[in-house]
Amino acid sequence: MFSYRHAFHAGNHADVLKHMTLLAVLRHMTQKDTALTVFDTHAGAGLYRLDGDYAQTSGEAADGFLRLLSEEKTALAPASKGKSAITKVAEAPASILQDYLDLVAGFNNKPSQRVYPGSPFIVQHLLRDRDKLKLFELHPTDAKTLSANIAQLDAGRQVAVLREDGFEGLKKFLPPPARRALVLCDPSYEIKSDYARVPVMVADALTRFATGTYMVWYPLIPRPEAHDVPRKLKTLATRAGKSWLNASLTVKSSKLTTDEAGEVQRPGLPASGVFIINPPHTLKAALQAALPQLVAKLAQDEHAAWAVDNGG
Ligand code: SAM
């Protein structure tokens, strides 16, 4: 069975990019009256504590979401990085960043911000009565925790937890009844085959339901399979004649370093991206405003950068 537990990573820089973007996509999609179905193919436990053992052990939230709460800005300025350079950081958070901060704050009793919502709770927060949420989670412990967390919402049949393989399980629900859906695909990539399964799932889903919005999170690490994910998704979207958007956030160099004792140190996760097929037309500008601010807050060295690209 898998050893990946999202509780170690909750609130890290990758969650910040993913959850801020997810919220922006959903805000847009819930403006239309027609019922929406949201699928979270890799849901995790749903709700996390940033002061719990898992998060404290990894310290990832301290370098991610919790840094956004501090008043300080990182004084790094990678001036030679073209469009990724930090030039000037606006004082007020960009609208989608502020929305994300407000949403997380809503799960907490201010001033302490120790509860962090995963994608299931972020999505559920925005659902209207007519919308549905289907959550896939394969890890037995996390599936149990997710079910217990969701049960507290008294959401009835609006939210379903399925202890199934999300890559396969999605198929039977497409196309959804009202023909409006957002699919979030956020694997742990713990198993190497996940890198290949993502584009296969999206290709299949597009044949069943071409007008859905598909959002995939991927790590940007020095492995060819990781870089293949956005490349393959771009090819898929282009061939299907669909619009797409690819955004990335880098917080540090991906190079191996050597510590004082001569031990080689891996950098952990230096960067990640989100690839969206059929994105809201407002998303690119919204991300262009927010991502430089995330770089300013979350940069760990001079390699910190952001990028947004789109097409179709
Ligand atoms: N989407 C969550 C969020 O943003 O809060 C985080 C999900 S975490 C990155 C990935 C989750 O997928 C893990 O909880 C893991 O147990 C689960 N998982 C791994 N393989 C799976 C599969 N084939 N189908 C469904 N869930 C899977």
Side-chain angles (χ1 to χ4, degrees):
M1 196 55 216
F2 322 113
S3 60
Y4 180 94
R5 311 296 302 280
H6 194 67
F8 285 108
H9 310 287
N12 69 2
H13 64 85
D15 262 9
V16 170
L17 171 68
K18 172 181 59 187
H19 293 154
M20 182 189 76
T21 309
L22 174 66
L23 182 58
V25 170
L26 264 172
R27 284 274 182 226
H28 193 268
M29 293 188 79
T30 49
Q31 278 171 16
K32 256 196 183 173
D33 280 346
T34 319
L36 178 69
T37 307
V38 183
F39 300 93
D40 192 344
T41 60
H42 296 71
L47 213 49
Y48 305 93
R49 285 210 66 95
L50 299 183
D51 56 358
D53 288 347
Y54 291 109
Q56 300 255 312
T57 305
S58 71
E60 291 190 22
D63 274 337
F65 172 74
L66 294 174
R67 269 209 199 189
L68 300 179
L69 305 180
S70 91
E71 292 301 311
E72 283 172 35
K73 292 186 195 79
T74 308
L76 297 163
S80 61
K81 293 216 138 204
K83 82 177 188 184
S84 302
I86 306 167
T87 46
K88 186 174 167 225
V89 179
E91 287 308 309
S95 63
I96 61 168
L97 176 54
Q98 186 64 60
D99 195 20
Y100 163 69
L101 293 171
D102 290 346
L103 180 129
V104 181
F107 283 85
N108 286 275
N109 292 323
K110 283 179 187 170
S112 112
Q113 300 237 14
R114 298 296 164 188
V115 175
Y116 188 82
S119 51
F121 274 69
I122 293 174
V123 174
Q124 194 277 335
H125 196 76
L126 267 79
L127 294 185
R128 295 117 4 131
D129 288 348
R130 54 197 173 282
D131 301 329
K132 295 258 190 290
L133 172 58
K134 309 250 182 250
L135 304 166
F136 298 91
E137 174 52 52
L138 208 48
H139 194 292
T141 311
D142 279 356
K144 213 168 145 193
T145 309
L146 177 63
S147 296
N149 283 332
I150 292 292
Q152 290 186 19
L153 293 169
D154 267 336
R157 293 174 58 185
Q158 187 177 35
V159 183
V161 176
L162 301 108
R163 202 182 133 188
E164 289 176 31
D165 176 17
F167 291 121
E168 281 298 313
L170 177 68
K171 292 181 181 172
K172 59 178 174 286
F173 293 111
L174 297 182
R179 302 195 77 86
R180 289 196 71 232
L182 167 64
V183 177
L184 170 66
C185 180
D186 178 28
S188 49
Y189 299 93
E190 184 185 0
I191 305 174
K192 200 176 158 188
S193 57
D194 280 0
Y195 291 102
R197 292 188 80 191
V198 168
V200 169
M201 185 203 83
V202 174
D204 175 81
L206 280 172
T207 63
R208 294 169 194 271
F209 182 47
T211 54
T213 295
Y214 298 90
M215 173 172 162
V216 172
W217 177 86
Y218 59 91
L220 274 167
I221 49 175
R223 283 178 79 141
E225 314 85 84
H227 294 267
D228 279 350
V229 172
R231 198 178 48 73
K232 286 181 178 172
L233 291 173
K234 191 170 160 181
T235 304
L236 274 175
T238 308
R239 283 200 187 133
K242 300 293 164 192
S243 59
W244 58 269
L245 182 149
N246 188 24
S248 65
L249 173 66
T250 302
V251 297
K252 60 181 170 182
S253 164
S254 61
K255 293 223 165 60
L256 300 177
T257 52
T258 311
D259 68 11
E260 284 165 9
E263 297 285 323
V264 173
Q265 300 290 314
R266 296 192 172 277
L269 181 69
S272 72
V274 284
F275 194 101
I276 300 141
I277 298 178
N278 293 324
H281 67 275
T282 50
L283 189 60
K284 185 177 183 187
L287 284 168
Q288 283 174 326
L291 288 174
Q293 298 185 339
L294 290 188
V295 171
K297 282 281 194 180
L298 303 181
Q300 292 180 35
D301 66 26
E302 69 282 9
H303 295 272
W306 63 276
V308 183
D309 192 12
N310 69 321

